[in-house]
């Protein structure tokens, strides 16, 4: 029992010191135990913090494990830490992100067909904020770029994997605003991350100014 408690405490310390989610395999290796034992101990830790109802919780997120602040304190914390980085996305960009999340991998042309309008500026904005990335090319004439979501997307929406997304009846009717996390501000304008290198965009996204 003493050894088990020690290992459980070591897992807790490793997670506390990390600013990013840590994969199960990495945690198990660091503690010198099998993944099955590591998962059992992590499940216990998750329950411990959940029952405690303190200021932070342990969650399986973005393919790993990470401590997060308890949601019930989010409102007051957002006022105290006003300078915390928050992504700004327009409603059109959120719609585009929703479609990519559910339909990935997807091309720009396929996005435009679903939305009925050009999605070029929205995809460029999402790439600049590291919520979307190019994941390959479709094996059709012209080999258009395929787009998918990133780990940053999972982190912002508090997801461990894509299958944790709510299941929409119709993707076109999905309203991401209904479950947009506090790490994202919904606005009416499409914005680019000013520190993003525009030259890294796929050519099809450079054909018009993403800020227009």
């Amino acid at each position: 029992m003493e050894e088990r408690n020690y290992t459980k405490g070591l897992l807790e310390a490793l997670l506390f010191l990390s600013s990013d989610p840590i994969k199960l395999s990495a945690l198990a290796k660091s503690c010198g135990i099998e993944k099955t034992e590591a998962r059992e101990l992590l499940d216990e830790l998750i329950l411990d913090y959940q029952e405690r109802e303190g200021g932070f919780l342990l969650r399986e997120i973005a393919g790993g494990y990470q401590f997060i602040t308890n949601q019930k304190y989010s409102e007051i914390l957002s006022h105290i830490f006003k300078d915390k980085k928050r992504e700004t996305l327009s409603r059109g960009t959120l719609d585009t992100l929703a479609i990519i999340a559910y339909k990935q991998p997807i091309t720009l042309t396929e996005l435009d067909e679903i939305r009925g309008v050009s999605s070029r500026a929205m995809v460029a904005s999402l790439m600049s904020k590291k919520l979307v990335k190019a994941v390959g090319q479709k094996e059709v004439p012209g080999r258009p770029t395929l787009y998918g979501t990133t780990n940053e997307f999972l982190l912002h929406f508090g997801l461990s994997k894509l299958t944790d997304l709510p299941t929409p009846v119709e993707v076109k009717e999905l309203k991401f605003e209904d479950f947009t996390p506090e790490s994202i501000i919904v606005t009416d304008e499409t914005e680019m991350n000013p520190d993003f290198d525009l030259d890294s965009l796929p050519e099809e996204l450079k054909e018009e100014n993403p800020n227009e």
Side-chain angles (χ1 to χ4, degrees):
M1 179 60 72
E2 184 177 345
E3 183 178 351
R4 180 181 176 83
N5 287 337
Y6 175 85
T7 305
K8 185 176 176 179
L10 179 57
L11 283 169
E12 185 177 24
L14 286 168
L15 290 163
F16 180 78
L17 291 172
S18 177
S19 59
D20 299 308
I22 306 178
K23 293 184 180 296
L24 176 64
S25 57
L27 287 167
K29 183 177 181 180
S30 296
C31 294
I33 58 177
E34 296 295 325
K35 288 196 292 185
T36 52
E37 183 181 356
R39 186 179 290 279
E40 286 180 8
L41 293 174
L42 288 164
D43 286 344
E44 287 182 15
L45 280 170
I46 289 173
L47 187 59
D48 289 346
Y49 280 95
Q50 185 175 315
E51 291 179 343
R52 178 172 170 266
E53 293 188 343
F56 52 97
L57 303 168
L58 179 61
R59 286 284 184 268
E60 188 174 359
I61 184 171
Y65 291 83
Q66 184 179 33
F67 279 115
I68 63 171
T69 53
N70 194 325
Q71 188 68 25
K72 69 180 180 180
Y73 303 115
S74 61
E75 184 174 351
I76 189 168
L77 288 173
S78 65
H79 289 298
I80 295 172
F81 297 98
K82 293 180 181 179
D83 294 332
K84 182 181 178 182
K85 181 183 177 183
R86 301 173 73 188
E87 294 293 356
T88 301
L89 300 179
S90 69
R91 288 171 175 77
T93 306
L94 274 174
D95 287 342
T96 302
L97 179 58
I99 294 169
I100 293 173
Y102 282 90
K103 293 288 191 179
Q104 63 185 305
I106 186 171
T107 67
L108 183 61
T109 299
E110 290 166 342
L111 270 168
D112 292 347
E113 289 175 354
I114 293 173
R115 297 187 65 239
V117 293
S118 174
S119 305
R120 186 177 286 111
M122 286 68 180
V123 176
S125 175
L126 289 167
M127 289 192 71
S128 78
K129 298 173 189 297
K130 298 182 179 179
L131 295 173
V132 164
K133 64 181 179 180
V135 296
Q137 293 177 304
K138 191 167 185 177
E139 295 299 327
V140 296
R143 293 175 56 82
T145 300
L146 289 165
Y147 299 95
T149 53
T150 64
N151 265 350
E152 287 291 325
F153 165 79
L154 294 176
L155 286 170
H156 275 290
F157 285 87
L159 303 170
S160 174
K161 50 190 179 300
L162 288 172
T163 51
D164 292 337
L165 280 167
T167 304
V169 177
E170 289 287 340
V171 174
K172 289 179 71 173
E173 295 177 1
L174 180 67
K175 299 299 180 185
F176 245 26
E177 293 94 327
D178 294 341
F179 55 98
T180 301
E182 293 198 356
S183 61
I184 290 178
I185 303 171
V186 181
T187 183
D188 290 326
E189 295 186 11
T190 301
E191 298 180 3
M192 295 286 291
N193 179 348
D195 298 323
F196 181 71
D197 180 10
L198 292 176
D199 289 336
S200 65
L201 287 172
E203 288 300 320
E204 64 184 13
L205 299 183
K206 299 177 184 177
E207 294 175 15
E208 65 182 38
N209 188 341
N211 290 310
E212 290 182 353

